Amino acid sequence: MSDDERDRIERARLPEGLRPETLAVRSALAPSQHGENSEALFLTSGYVQPNAEVSARRFAASEDFTYSRTSNPTVRSFEQRLAAMEGTEAAVATATGMSAILLLIMGLLKAGDHVVCSRSVFGSTINLFAKEFAKFGVETAFVSQTDLEEWRAAIKPTTRLFFAETPTNPLTDICDIAALAELAHAHGALLVVDNSFCSPALQRPAALGADLVMHSGTKYLDGQGRVMAGALCGPEKLIKDVFGPVIRTAGMTLAPFNAWVVLKGLETLGLRMKAHCENALKIAQWLETRPEVARVYYPGLASHPQHALAMRQQGGQGGPVVSFDLRGDTPEAARAAAFHVIDSTRVLSIATNLGDTKSIITHPATTSHGRLSEAQRQAAGIGQGLVRLAVGLEHPDDIGDDLLRGLSTLSKGQEQ
Ligand SMILES: *Cc1c(COP(=O)(O)O)cnc(C)c1O
């Protein structure tokens, strides 16, 4: 190694104790010999080795770079930055959020093992546990998001994993991460928290006792609705020794281009989340004053059942998603009201994803929760009048005005 090269790598080593805002901008691999200030995008599947001896060493150790299914410098920079922001030793990036859960289960569990999972987690997560993993003999008990006693009662001698997501989509129920971690650990199980909604800018589950933090990077980490990505963050021992060999073999690897987009997204995560939350709180407070609205679900409001816990756990912020129930004497009337408000918007996007600069409005009962029976939907609290708003970065008054188009003409709209 030349002196120049040593200096370059040495200089890229950050001092201890840097704050999250700094880590979000600075954590990454050392720059290349060209000294680029913005992290480079390494679009390469393979790596030329200097000689056969070094090649043999790199393949044996699975360190450095040999093939991009195993690792890639841009992906590695994303992993380092996300781990630094979550406060975990390491992270492994995956192609999507769902493939992070696939990697989690392939790495940690085998047939006969048991999982306890909130029944209010992301819909595809429920399907993955209830249908796909069940085929391979991994059994899952689904329990209340908020009642710790149900988690306790579901534990079996074979329970290896607790899986939680907080707040939930679309009703924003909060679970107590520290309490779940304590319960899991008392029974020799690990706690995994899906942190896609809050992101490390608001909530750092590892600091509250979670063993692993899972991400859909597709949401707020990218934050601009461009690429799919996922990750697991946790102790080096699990990331490197347990998940490393599985992802290398099974190949649910993040593409370098997507890693680069999300890596750069992390630089503005804190600023974006702050703005999303400020806008969401304003909209939620305003919706609570509207006569057409029966109920607003937002952890930042004092009316939220777990408001105090949310404020403690989420750095004093309510998060980016607000849901509300429109009044309606019958489910049909409530649905007509919801459709009218959605269809009257001219700025918001009618879509089912979230985590974008653009505000997104959704009718959960006919989209994300459309395949449930009416009884299942009611048990989940997803009424026909429910509207979910993933609040973006537009001016909050423009978001409010856009909702008002439908709200203020509701009786007219329903007569049509
Ligand atoms: C979107 C989402 C997922 C799945 O992530 P993909 O990147 O779409 O695979 C998992 N959990 C939560 C909370 C999500 O919002």
Side-chain angles (χ1 to χ4, degrees):
M1 205 186 277
S2 70
D3 285 353
D4 275 3
E5 200 171 344
R6 239 185 298 274
D7 285 352
R8 175 169 56 80
I9 292 170
E10 187 51 36
R11 189 159 162 86
R13 283 185 38 197
L14 296 172
E16 295 288 310
L18 294 177
R19 291 152 187 87
E21 293 82 353
T22 311
L23 295 171
V25 177
R26 292 285 173 183
S27 297
L29 293 187
S32 77
Q33 71 275 24
H34 305 301
E36 65 280 356
N37 194 34
S38 173
E39 294 76 15
L41 166 51
F42 289 94
L43 275 183
T44 182
S45 49
Y47 304 83
V48 179
Q49 307 301 325
N51 56 52
E53 175 94 35
V54 171
S55 173
R57 181 155 31 86
R58 287 181 179 170
F59 267 85
S62 286
E63 274 169 13
D64 294 313
F65 301 105
T66 53
Y67 188 51
S68 282
R69 170 152 39 76
T70 306
S71 58
N72 168 283
T74 309
V75 175
R76 187 75 67 79
S77 281
F78 166 64
E79 292 168 340
Q80 278 193 4
R81 184 168 292 176
L82 183 62
M85 293 169 77
E86 282 289 359
T88 59
E89 286 173 3
V92 54
T94 55
T96 62
M98 295 319 299
S99 60
I101 306 178
L102 180 61
L103 175 61
L104 171 79
I105 299 306
M106 284 185 74
L108 290 178
L109 302 190
K110 59 182 186 321
D113 286 343
H114 181 250
V115 179
V116 185
C117 179
S118 161
R119 76 171 67 88
S120 311
V121 297
F122 187 65
S124 299
T125 305
I126 295 202
N127 285 338
L128 192 55
F129 279 105
K131 297 201 184 122
E132 307 305 333
F133 297 149
K135 287 198 299 215
F136 297 91
V138 171
E139 191 203 339
T140 304
F142 293 97
V143 297
S144 157
Q145 170 78 0
T146 50
D147 182 358
L148 197 64
E149 288 316 307
E150 278 196 31
W151 292 73
R152 193 191 310 278
I155 295 170
K156 304 213 269 185
T158 50
T159 302
R160 301 273 173 268
L161 209 68
F162 277 22
F163 192 97
E165 175 188 320
T166 181
T168 58
N169 175 23
L171 295 178
T172 71
D173 287 328
I174 312 283
C175 64
D176 186 335
I177 296 173
L180 281 178
E182 197 181 324
L183 182 61
H185 297 161
H187 293 83
L190 298 180
L191 172 66
V192 184
V193 174
D194 179 339
N195 201 26
S196 305
F197 259 58
C198 276
S199 89
L202 305 186
Q203 172 173 283
R204 304 209 301 163
L208 299 167
D211 301 280
L212 288 159
V213 182
M214 179 241 134
H215 274 286
S216 167
T218 317
K219 309 295 165 54
Y220 293 96
L221 302 189
D222 169 21
Q224 291 158 77
R226 300 167 293 190
V227 298
M228 309 288 300
L232 291 175
C233 310
E236 175 106 31
K237 198 157 57 68
L238 286 180
I239 299 296
K240 218 171 128 223
D241 300 343
V242 175
F243 300 121
V246 178
I247 195 167
R248 200 178 309 140
T249 311
M252 57 287 262
T253 317
L254 181 60
F257 178 80
N258 293 6
W260 182 80
V261 170
V262 186
L263 174 74
K264 302 307 282 180
L266 289 178
E267 295 181 6
T268 55
L269 179 69
L271 293 175
R272 285 187 284 104
M273 291 310 285
K274 186 163 176 284
H276 280 294
C277 292
E278 283 170 8
N279 278 358
L281 179 62
K282 279 193 190 131
I283 297 293
Q285 286 169 335
W286 171 73
L287 283 170
E288 259 193 337
T289 68
R290 292 298 308 181
E292 306 86 354
V293 174
R295 181 167 170 195
V296 181
Y297 305 82
Y298 186 63
L301 293 175
S303 59
H304 190 283
Q306 296 107 26
H307 174 64
L309 171 62
M311 293 299 98
R312 264 201 323 276
Q313 196 162 270
Q314 301 176 186
Q317 301 282 354
V321 175
V322 179
S323 294
F324 55 98
D325 274 321
L326 289 160
R327 292 188 193 283
D329 293 336
T330 61
E332 292 72 30
R335 181 202 285 218
F339 276 24
H340 177 73
V341 169
I342 292 169
D343 290 344
S344 301
T345 59
R346 289 172 51 204
V347 178
L348 307 187
S349 306
I350 305 174
T352 49
N353 60 314
L354 56 97
D356 202 311
T357 53
K358 298 177 169 68
S359 291
I360 291 176
I361 192 165
T362 312
H363 186 245
T366 52
T367 56
S368 54
H369 296 69
R371 291 208 193 94
L372 301 182
S373 69
E374 191 55 39
Q376 282 173 317
R377 235 190 328 268
Q378 277 179 12
I382 314 287
Q384 292 290 343
L386 184 72
V387 175
R388 186 199 76 186
L389 202 60
V391 180
L393 302 183
E394 302 94 343
H395 193 289
D397 293 349
D398 287 331
I399 302 172
D401 288 349
D402 212 34
L403 292 170
L404 194 57
R405 281 181 236 287
L407 287 175
S408 64
T409 54
L410 253 184
S411 47
K412 244 187 298 167
Q414 284 170 284
E415 276 159 24
Q416 280 167 4

